[in-house]
Each structure stands twice: as structure tokens, then as C-alpha cells.
């Protein structure tokens, strides 16, 4: 069963396409169910015999695999690009490696293309685009009969325009055809209110050349010593302290929610492996 916002957005997208409009942009907060929405729109277009084929593009293999599973379930058919499949899910990287025969085949199909996390694709002309944006503009924009772009964050830190998006004049604000905000998702019980807790230490000491210095905070330490933030991240005592707090909090939560899990963000793959080993050996945590 669709959530209210998914049903509203799907209705609006279908109406949009029937009015001879081609590119629909939906902004919905992360975790709200954009993939199910996309599959619903695809299903309605197929049921109305408006399209023959569905292609989905996303930033990573894991996301592409999740999209494939959702579309297979929602459309009740194969979605692996094989014989008899109604479509397939790919990464943006793969666009550069399709053979000419693939593009010739698409020209003979009524095509619906879905762009997940479209903000990764930048540029309004091939010359000004990043690598993924160029592929979308040059190869996909003109062969698709309908397109659906999805994003949770419709902007880029480099201020470059998002591919195929429209912007207001003169404000330069992106124009979304449908928006579902975090506030709405929290009210609907779809997402939780994010809670960020900052942890500092008012009793830091550093020994250098047999001389010990004390600091009242991490900021104070960074300002008045030669230590870098990276050295704190990799400090064994600091890491044990923070991981210990995290494990303690997770155990509290698990008394109410037994299958709760934790997330640790590392600075590199090597750092992540050190953290993993610490969690296993010192805190008896599975990872």
C-alpha cells in the first residue's frame, strides 16, 4: 500500500506526462520511499501502455541492486535486463560503456528513465557537465519518452546546476515538481527527528618531550598544540572512549529495541578496519 505522499506524487507525475511534459523532478527526504514511488509511476505507465521499457540509474552498485529488487517486486516481473525483462537497473558509471547496439535498441522502444540521486549529475550543457551529467545529456535525454528524477538533496556544494533541472529566474532556485520534506516525513512517522549529541572532553593532557600540557577542550587542544585532528581520530585511548560510549548507548536502546544497530563513520578503509577490530576484541560487538 502506498503512503499518502507517494500516491499524491504518482498522480501528479502521470498528469504531468499526459500534458505533454517529459521531465518530472521529485524531492523527497532520505528514507521516505522514493524507489517505491518510482516503481509505482513505472507500473502506471506500463498499465496504460505508454511505455515499453524502464531503465533506472543510480550512483552505486548497492543502490542499483536495491532498485532492481524493488522494481521486480512492484512490477511482478524480471528487472535484470535479460530476455523478457521489463527493464534494468544500472549505475551512472555504466553509461559510458554501453555498445552502440544498446542505443539503437532504445530508439525502437518507448522508454521511461529514472534517475536516482540526480544531484550527482551536474551541468546544463555537455561542455559544462561532469562525467555523469554529460552521459545523461548526450545519451539519455533524447531517447527517453518520460523521465523521473529523484533526490533527497536538490543542490550541489559546487553550485553547479543539476542536469535537466529548471531554475527560477532571477532567484536561481531549483524548481521541483513535487516536494516531500523531512518535517512532513517526521509528522507522518516515516522518518525520525535527527538528534546530534556533541561530545567533548574538559580534561585533556598531552605529553611531549617529557612536558605535560592540559587543555580544556578539543578545540583548545587543536589551537594550542601541534596535534592534528587526524591524530585524535587515530588515538587509541580517544577511540576506545568514544566507542565505549557508543556501545553503552546501543545496549540501552537494545533493551527496548532488540534489533537496533550502530553506525561508526571512519576516516578511511584502514581506519574502519582498526575500529572493527577494536569493537570485536574490546567490546565483543559483531560488525
Amino acid at each position: 500500500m502506498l503512503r499518502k505522499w507517494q500516491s499524491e506524487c504518482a498522480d501528479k507525475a502521470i498528469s504531468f506526462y499526459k500534458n505533454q511534459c517529459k521531465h518530472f523532478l521529485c524531492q523527497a527526504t532520505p528514507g521516505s520511499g522514493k524507489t517505491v514511488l518510482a516503481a509505482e509511476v513505472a507500473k502506471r505507465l506500463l498499465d496504460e501502455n505508454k511505455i515499453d521499457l524502464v531503465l533506472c540509474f543510480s550512483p552505486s552498485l548497492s543502490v542499483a541492486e536495491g532498485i532492481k529488487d524493488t522494481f521486480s517486486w512492484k512490477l511482478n516481473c524480471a528487472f535484470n535486463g535479460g530476455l523478457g525483462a521489463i527493464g534494468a537497473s544500472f549505475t551512472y558509471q555504466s553509461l559510458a560503456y554501453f555498445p552502440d547496439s544498446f542505443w539503437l535498441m532504445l530508439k525502437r522502444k518507448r522508454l521511461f528513465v529514472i534517475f536516482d540521486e540526480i544531484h550527482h549529475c551536474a551541468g546544463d550543457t555537455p561542455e559544462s557537465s561532469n562525467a555523469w551529467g554529460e552521459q545523461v545529456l548526450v545519451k539519455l535525454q533524447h531517447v527517453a519518452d518520460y523521465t523521473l528524477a529523484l533526490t533527497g538533496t536538490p543542490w550541489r556544494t559546487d553550485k553547479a546546476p543539476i542536469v535537466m533541472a529548471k531554475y527560477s529566474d532571477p532567484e536561481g532556485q531549483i524548481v521541483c515538481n513535487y516536494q516531500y520534506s523531512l518535517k512532513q516525513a517526521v509528522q507522518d512517522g516515516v522518518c525520525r527527528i535527527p538528534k546530534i549529541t556533541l561530545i567533548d572532553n574538559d580534561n585533556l593532557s598531552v605529553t611531549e618531550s617529557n612536558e605535560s600540557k592540559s587543555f580544556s577542550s578539543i578545540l583548545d587542544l587543536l589551537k594550542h598544540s601541534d596535534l592534528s585532528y587526524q591524530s585524535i581520530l587515530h588515538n587509541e585511548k580517544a577511540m576506545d572512549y568514544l566507542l565505549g560510549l557508543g556501545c553503552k548507548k546501543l545496549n540501552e536502546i537494545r533493551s527496548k529495541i532488540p534489533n537496533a544497530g550502530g553506525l561508526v563513520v571512519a576516516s578511511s578503509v584502514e581506519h574502519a578496519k582498526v575500529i572493527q577490530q577494536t569493537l570485536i576484541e574490546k567490546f565483543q560487538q559483531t560488525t
Side-chain angles (χ1 to χ4, degrees), residues 42-60:
K43 183 177 185 302
R44 293 189 191 185
L45 289 173
L46 286 164
D47 289 345
E48 295 181 15
N49 194 30
K50 297 289 186 183
I51 57 172
D52 305 309
L53 190 66
V54 182
L55 296 182
C56 300
F57 293 91
S58 54
S60 68

Side-chain angles (χ1 to χ4, degrees), residues 22-42:
K22 179 177 177 178
H23 183 64
F24 190 92
L25 173 60
C26 167
Q27 182 222 338
T29 194
S32 56
K34 291 188 288 294
T35 305
V36 172
L37 158 75
E40 173 66 19
V41 175

Side-chain angles (χ1 to χ4, degrees), residues 256-275:
K256 298 177 181 177
I257 309 172
N259 63 347
L263 171 69
V264 182
V265 180
S267 61
S268 66
V269 172
E270 183 182 2
H271 190 211
K273 290 179 178 177
V274 172
I275 291 171

Side-chain angles (χ1 to χ4, degrees), residues 81-143:
L83 188 66
I86 204 72
S89 178
F90 303 102
T91 63
Y92 288 115
Q93 295 97 313
S94 63
L95 271 169
Y97 303 102
F98 292 139
D100 291 341
S101 57
F102 177 83
W103 300 106
L104 287 173
M105 178 272 295
L106 292 186
K107 289 181 178 180
R108 297 192 293 268
K109 301 289 185 180
R110 295 173 300 168
L111 181 63
F112 179 41
V113 181
I114 294 151
F115 302 106
D116 187 50
E117 304 297 355
I118 188 65
H119 57 272
H120 287 287
C121 305
D124 48 12
T125 66
E127 295 74 24
S128 66
S129 303
N130 63 7
W132 293 356
E134 181 182 7
Q135 296 295 324
V136 171
L137 288 174
V138 173
K139 294 183 175 179
L140 276 173
Q141 179 178 216
H142 304 296
V143 296

Side-chain angles (χ1 to χ4, degrees), residues 118-270:
I118 188 65
H119 57 272
H120 287 287
C121 305
D124 48 12
T125 66
E127 295 74 24
S128 66
S129 303
N130 63 7
W132 293 356
E134 181 182 7
Q135 296 295 324
V136 171
L137 288 174
V138 173
K139 294 183 175 179
L140 276 173
Q141 179 178 216
H142 304 296
V143 296
D145 292 85
Y146 307 105
T147 57
L148 172 63
L150 307 169
T151 179
T153 51
W155 59 80
R156 292 178 53 87
T157 53
D158 61 7
K159 308 300 182 184
I162 294 173
V163 72
M164 296 171 66
K166 294 181 180 178
Y167 290 82
S168 63
D169 185 23
E171 300 85 2
Q173 297 295 313
I174 192 166
V175 177
C176 297
N177 301 107
Y178 188 91
Q179 288 183 290
Y180 183 64
S181 67
L182 176 59
K183 182 179 179 180
Q184 290 172 282
V186 169
Q187 290 171 342
D188 291 345
V190 176
C191 295
R192 296 190 179 99
I193 299 173
K195 181 182 178 182
I196 299 173
T197 303
L198 298 178
I199 296 176
D200 206 332
N201 194 315
D202 60 2
N203 187 25
L204 293 164
S205 62
V206 176
T207 302
E208 294 177 318
S209 302
N210 295 323
E211 183 181 355
S212 183
K213 295 181 181 179
S214 296
F215 302 92
S216 60
S217 67
I218 292 175
L219 180 60
D220 186 37
L221 169 68
L222 294 174
K223 278 185 175 181
H224 300 102
S225 77
D226 295 330
L227 288 177
S228 66
Y229 184 62
Q230 193 73 6
S231 67
I232 298 174
L233 291 180
H234 290 271
N235 182 275
E236 185 177 350
K237 288 185 178 179
M239 195 159 56
D240 288 355
Y241 175 71
L242 287 172
L243 291 175
L245 287 178
C247 291
K248 181 181 177 182
K249 186 65 178 178
L250 181 58
N251 285 334
E252 291 174 8
I253 294 171
R254 281 179 171 166
S255 67
K256 298 177 181 177
I257 309 172
N259 63 347
L263 171 69
V264 182
V265 180
S267 61
S268 66
V269 172
E270 183 182 2

